[in-house]
Amino acid sequence: MLSIKNLQAKVEEKDIIKGLNLNIKPGEVHAIMGPNGAGKSTLGNVLSGREGYEVTGGSVEFLGKDLLDFEPEERAREGLFLAFQYPVEIPGVSNLEFLKASVDAVREHRGQDPLDSVSFLKLAREKCKAVNLDQNFLKRGVNEGFSGGEKKRNEIMQMMLLEPSLCILDETDSGLDIDALQVVADGVNSQRSVDRSFIVVTHYQRLLDYIVPDYVHVLANGRIVKSGGKELALELEEKGYSWIDEEVV
Amino acid sequence: MTEASTQTLDYASQALSLAQSVEGPEWLSGLRKDGQQSFEGHAWPTRKTEHWKYTNLSALNKQNYAQLVANDSVALTDSEAQQLYLIADLDAVQLVFVNGHFSETLSSEIDLDSVEVVRFSQADEDQRSVISDNLGQITLNEEHIFSALNAGQLDDGVLIRFLKNKKTETAIQVVHLTTAQSQSFSVNARLLVVSEAGSQGVVVESFVSDDASQTAIVNSITECRIDDNSKLFHYRLQLEQEDAIHIGGMHVQLNAGSQLESFHVGLGGKVKRVDVVVNHEGSGAHCDLKGVYLPKNSQHIDYHTCIEHKVPHCTTSEVFRGIIANQAKAVFNGRIHIHPDAQKTLAELNNRNLLLSNKAEINTKPELEIYADDVRCAHGATIAQLDDNAMNYMLSRGIGRQEAEVMMSFGFINELLNGLAHHPIQEKLRPILADLFGKDDSLTRHLL
């Protein structure tokens, strides 16, 4: 699914990712944990192709193709989905219009016909229900005035509509209370399948109680310094990140 | 089509001779003469005239606009004409003028017991006295040259009188349709709205044209007197196309505890200029003024707004947004003048502009003059490109860059449309404005 080899990247002339390796097979859930400033969010942004994140070395292969060759919108159409830590508000553009444009673009890329308005509306309503969002959110501006939890649920709804192959959840748990966390996790779990993989980026172990990973990696100083099973997350929760630094040194 | 004359004409003197030849009701002749006299006393605006600095009127001298066109010169069918201005699902009656002439067939029979709607030429004695008492009192000839010219050419007009303590749900729509003609010509439009104490009403002014090639100059002056504790919803939709020239003004007197909600939309034209002047004359009045302007190609549009806070405890909220495309040019001048007595005023002015090309031009100037010390006043004007974060977000969802630009530009004005109290007007405007950005259905197909 995804093969990252010796990836190096910088933001505003500062090296953030410094030789990162990661292999993900279809259906796997990988958690990436690490202290603040380790490069967790940068990884998501680099993979999604965000402007201003410059890859200076290494390679990323996604479903057999060179991911770094693609424009950001092409990466999304190829099946990469980034759920944002801070979803952007776009006043004046309705959520429904935004979702339809997005789904149309992805369907077109897959050689499918665009959905007609009625079928799309029906589908969007279904997905709203699945993440416990009121239908009125479809009419409102994209994320406009949404609470933190509503924004995150909106991200998960987009993921459900776009049916990507690889989902990167960037600190999706931040700013969520326990109920919202449950809804978001249920949404994610419902999307798990043999041909869909997840990268769950998080600072805390809490989310991993709900979305149980196959692998846990510790990202520190731009590299993965330790990998293990789900029990690694518990160890991190207990001991914090400082022992990793010592071990690596 | 008119052949553009190479010689320079003198619009000002020709407009005056046209005024002198106008035939209209005798009882209006005093107002006409005053207007003509005042017009003669004005210096013709040039680039050196402060309030006309960025709007060049030389186009008025390129063709002979100072003439009228015959009543029977319209090639449109009634339904084609109605298509241009009718607003689906809006409870409304229409008064329609085509090339300046009242159209009996297109206009509605108006029989409402909460409002009187009458043309000046048909007014009864009581209505005449309302007209005489108010016309030219809210806009002053000596302050606005085109108000003076409008009065000087006054042959007819419309009075809308919302009656005391009555609420009128039905919108009164006054339409000025101009059609493509083989000669250039003038349209003189005058509207007087009197909202009597405790009344509520809705007025929609629609200016439309049938074709991009237009040869009319429309001079449209509206005066509104909004009495104590009454409320007026007002929409001024300037949707004439491409070659249209439109100079106009809306002048309002807000009395104690009254409210105005006024929305303006202006597509660009060869030359378009609108002055919106609101006078707070009675304590506790509120003015909510919003507008969008969207010139493209080589069009020009200019909104000059002026809010006069003369008395205490009044509030103003003003938001104008512009999207300027290609090599078009827009001007926005927003003045708020708080007089020494106007303590406890709350006034906000916000103007945001989006330039879609590096040849597009905006001249924006918020102008605050505050002579009272206990007021809250805020203003801001910005000129921007599209937001990078929002762009990144849309790209990350597979939406192409071009489509994202279209959606975001439209979103920028759609935000204001969403706030309109009358939904059918939103629905009428959305596709028209959307059409400006995407030539195909790339945008509208998402507007479910």
Side-chain angles (χ1 to χ4, degrees):
Chain A
M1 170 77 65
L2 184 76
S3 168
I4 304 176
K5 292 204 175 94
N6 193 28
L7 182 67
Q8 295 148 54
K10 61 182 179 183
V11 185
E12 289 172 356
E13 296 306 305
K14 196 176 168 212
D15 294 317
I16 308 285
I17 306 283
K18 303 168 186 170
L20 186 144
N21 294 293
L22 184 64
N23 272 299
I24 297 179
K25 295 198 185 76
E28 291 179 349
V29 176
H30 290 241
I32 294 187
M33 303 184 70
N36 289 326
K40 299 194 301 291
S41 285
T42 300
L43 179 61
N45 282 319
V46 166
L47 293 178
S48 72
R50 179 166 193 167
E51 216 168 285
Y53 290 76
E54 191 191 341
V55 174
T56 51
S59 66
V60 180
E61 198 184 290
F62 175 54
L63 294 171
K65 293 174 183 166
D66 180 358
L67 183 74
L68 302 178
D69 243 11
F70 291 125
E71 293 293 319
E73 64 273 30
E74 292 169 334
R75 297 180 193 199
R77 293 171 194 167
E78 289 286 337
L80 182 96
F81 181 89
L82 172 67
F84 281 60
Q85 183 178 4
Y86 303 110
V88 183
E89 298 197 12
I90 315 177
V93 176
S94 82
N95 212 9
L96 189 66
E97 172 192 344
F98 171 74
L99 295 169
K100 177 108 169 50
S102 172
V103 169
D104 280 356
V106 171
R107 287 181 67 93
E108 188 179 340
H109 185 75
R110 292 178 188 154
Q112 297 167 311
D113 287 333
L115 290 173
D116 65 82
S117 301
V118 178
S119 321
F120 181 76
L121 192 60
K122 192 165 162 253
L123 186 68
R125 282 183 178 146
E126 255 168 49
K127 303 301 181 195
C128 263
K129 210 169 164 192
V131 294
N132 203 15
L133 265 184
D134 192 277
Q135 288 182 19
N136 281 328
F137 284 89
L138 292 172
K139 288 187 199 153
R140 286 168 57 178
V142 176
N143 292 317
E144 191 186 0
F146 289 23
S147 72
E150 287 159 354
K151 282 180 182 169
K152 297 297 169 75
R153 281 185 270 159
N154 201 24
E155 294 290 286
I156 301 303
M157 179 175 68
Q158 291 173 32
M159 183 181 90
M160 291 174 161
L161 281 167
L162 294 176
E163 303 178 331
S165 304
L166 175 67
C167 310
I168 305 167
L169 310 180
D170 187 10
E171 308 233 4
T172 294
D173 49 336
S174 68
L176 292 190
D177 62 30
I178 201 80
D179 293 332
L181 190 66
Q182 180 77 57
V183 171
V184 164
D186 288 349
V188 170
N189 288 329
S190 75
Q191 297 300 297
R192 288 178 77 156
S193 76
V194 288
D195 49 9
R196 181 171 298 141
S197 311
F198 290 83
I199 298 177
V200 181
V201 176
T202 180
H203 190 72
Y204 302 104
Q205 190 269 338
R206 188 178 67 147
L207 178 66
L208 305 180
D209 285 340
Y210 298 92
I211 304 171
V212 181
D214 299 305
Y215 300 95
V216 174
H217 309 278
V218 180
L219 182 64
N221 196 22
R223 282 181 300 139
I224 287 178
V225 293
K226 196 170 177 62
S227 298
K230 60 186 177 209
E231 64 287 347
L232 178 57
L234 295 168
E235 205 175 339
L236 288 166
E237 180 79 354
E238 199 181 312
K239 300 190 196 166
Y241 289 107
S242 53
W243 64 280
I244 301 267
D245 290 340
E246 283 158 27
E247 204 171 83
V248 171
V249 170
Chain B
M1 291 306 97
T2 311
E3 283 178 32
S5 160
T6 47
Q7 78 193 90
T8 303
L9 304 161
D10 178 1
Y11 173 75
S13 65
Q14 286 169 321
L16 184 64
S17 359
L18 173 64
Q20 284 157 351
S21 71
V22 159
E23 287 170 22
E26 184 50 37
W27 62 278
L28 289 174
S29 65
L31 281 166
R32 254 197 319 270
K33 291 220 173 67
D34 287 351
Q36 289 162 13
Q37 234 164 34
S38 177
F39 181 71
E40 274 184 290
H42 276 282
W44 185 248
T46 67
R47 301 303 267 267
K48 288 181 185 143
T49 314
E50 179 60 25
H51 283 108
W52 293 87
K53 203 169 168 182
Y54 300 106
T55 294
N56 185 344
L57 293 175
S58 63
L60 276 62
N61 295 325
K62 300 264 164 67
Q63 299 176 23
N64 182 14
Y65 285 102
Q67 51 187 335
L68 304 177
V69 77
N71 199 3
D72 54 5
S73 55
V74 181
L76 293 180
T77 64
D78 286 356
S79 72
E80 283 169 338
Q82 284 169 337
Q83 191 95 37
L84 295 167
Y85 60 79
L86 279 188
I87 299 170
D89 300 325
L90 182 71
D91 174 8
V93 290
Q94 288 82 29
L95 263 87
V96 182
F97 295 81
V98 181
N99 297 331
H101 302 283
F102 179 69
S103 167
E104 203 84 55
T105 49
L106 291 173
S107 300
S108 325
E109 289 276 343
I110 301 175
D111 183 21
L112 296 162
D113 58 9
S114 57
V115 59
E116 291 175 6
V117 183
V118 68
R119 282 185 292 142
F120 294 173
S121 53
Q122 311 291 311
D124 64 25
E125 204 162 322
D126 179 38
Q127 292 161 336
R128 283 182 198 184
S129 81
V130 173
I131 294 165
S132 303
D133 287 350
N134 290 286
L135 210 69
Q137 299 300 309
I138 303 163
T139 178
L140 301 176
N141 288 341
E142 56 270 29
E143 285 178 9
H144 294 273
I145 181 173
F146 283 91
S147 293
L149 179 60
N150 185 284
Q153 295 184 342
L154 193 70
D155 57 346
D156 203 353
V158 174
L159 166 69
I160 301 174
R161 185 185 186 189
F162 293 106
L163 299 177
K164 197 172 174 181
N165 292 330
K166 287 191 172 160
K167 182 174 174 180
T168 311
E169 301 274 9
T170 304
I172 314 298
Q173 188 182 15
V174 182
V175 179
H176 280 277
L177 163 64
T178 46
T179 64
Q181 294 292 323
S182 57
Q183 63 160 96
S184 43
F185 63 104
S186 290
V187 171
N188 201 57
R190 188 83 177 207
L191 174 63
L192 173 64
V193 179
V194 175
S195 293
E196 293 184 349
S199 67
Q200 182 175 317
V202 187
V203 170
V204 181
E205 295 186 78
S206 293
F207 299 91
V208 292
S209 61
D210 66 333
D211 195 279
S213 42
Q214 287 294 308
T215 52
I217 172 171
V218 176
N219 177 7
S220 160
I221 302 290
T222 298
E223 288 173 281
C224 306
R225 195 190 85 201
I226 307 178
D227 283 349
D228 295 3
N229 304 314
S230 61
K231 179 164 187 175
L232 179 67
F233 290 94
H234 167 264
Y235 297 87
R236 187 178 175 112
L237 316 177
Q238 267 183 251
L239 304 174
E240 311 113 311
Q241 305 170 59
E242 210 66 43
D243 287 342
I245 299 184
H246 187 129
I247 315 278
M250 184 217 185
H251 301 259
V252 183
Q253 176 188 328
L254 280 175
N255 293 314
S258 67
Q259 294 178 59
L260 169 71
E261 260 189 48
S262 180
F263 177 78
H264 297 252
V265 50
L267 305 190
K270 194 186 274 176
V271 182
K272 282 197 183 181
R273 159 68 178 251
V274 181
D275 286 73
V276 181
V277 181
V278 178
N279 298 288
H280 285 278
E281 306 271 6
S283 208
H286 177 66
C287 164
D288 187 308
L289 180 61
K290 289 193 176 71
V292 296
Y293 43 91
L294 311 105
K296 58 174 187 169
N297 303 335
S298 318
Q299 297 168 347
H300 179 99
I301 191 158
D302 175 349
Y303 275 96
H304 265 63
T305 69
C306 176
I307 315 290
E308 299 282 352
H309 278 272
K310 301 180 180 174
V311 293
H313 295 286
C314 292
T315 53
T316 294
S317 161
E318 179 178 352
V319 180
F320 267 77
R321 288 192 180 175
I323 299 182
I324 303 102
N326 313 110
Q327 57 274 14
K329 191 172 156 185
V331 182
F332 178 80
N333 193 100
R335 181 164 188 256
I336 295 185
H337 181 189
I338 301 180
H339 295 239
D341 287 342
Q343 299 295 358
K344 307 283 182 192
T345 292
L346 274 179
E348 280 179 1
L349 163 64
N350 185 281
N351 173 235
R352 284 170 66 190
N353 296 281
L354 202 55
L355 298 177
L356 295 186
S357 105
N358 53 15
K359 288 191 178 137
E361 189 181 321
I362 169 74
N363 294 287
T364 173
K365 187 166 107 185
E367 227 182 296
L368 255 58
E369 274 187 62
I370 305 177
Y371 298 104
D373 50 15
D374 187 12
V375 299
R376 279 209 350 243
C377 215
H379 73 278
T382 61
I383 301 161
Q385 316 276 334
L386 294 167
D387 178 39
D388 283 342
N389 280 329
M391 177 56 85
N392 172 58
Y393 191 60
M394 297 185 95
L395 293 175
S396 81
R397 295 297 179 255
I399 301 170
R401 192 171 286 273
Q402 213 178 346
E403 186 168 13
E405 275 176 16
V406 168
M407 288 172 73
M408 284 161 66
S409 307
F410 184 70
F412 181 72
I413 48 169
N414 195 29
E415 240 187 304
L416 291 190
L417 289 187
N418 284 342
L420 300 186
H422 294 82
H423 285 255
I425 297 179
Q426 298 182 13
E427 301 308 318
K428 173 79 178 178
L429 291 176
R430 244 184 225 114
I432 293 173
L433 302 187
D435 208 39
L436 290 178
F437 297 102
K439 283 176 187 64
D440 53 20
D441 65 346
S442 66
L443 181 75
T444 40
R445 74 189 154 98
H446 304 302
L447 301 172
L448 300 174

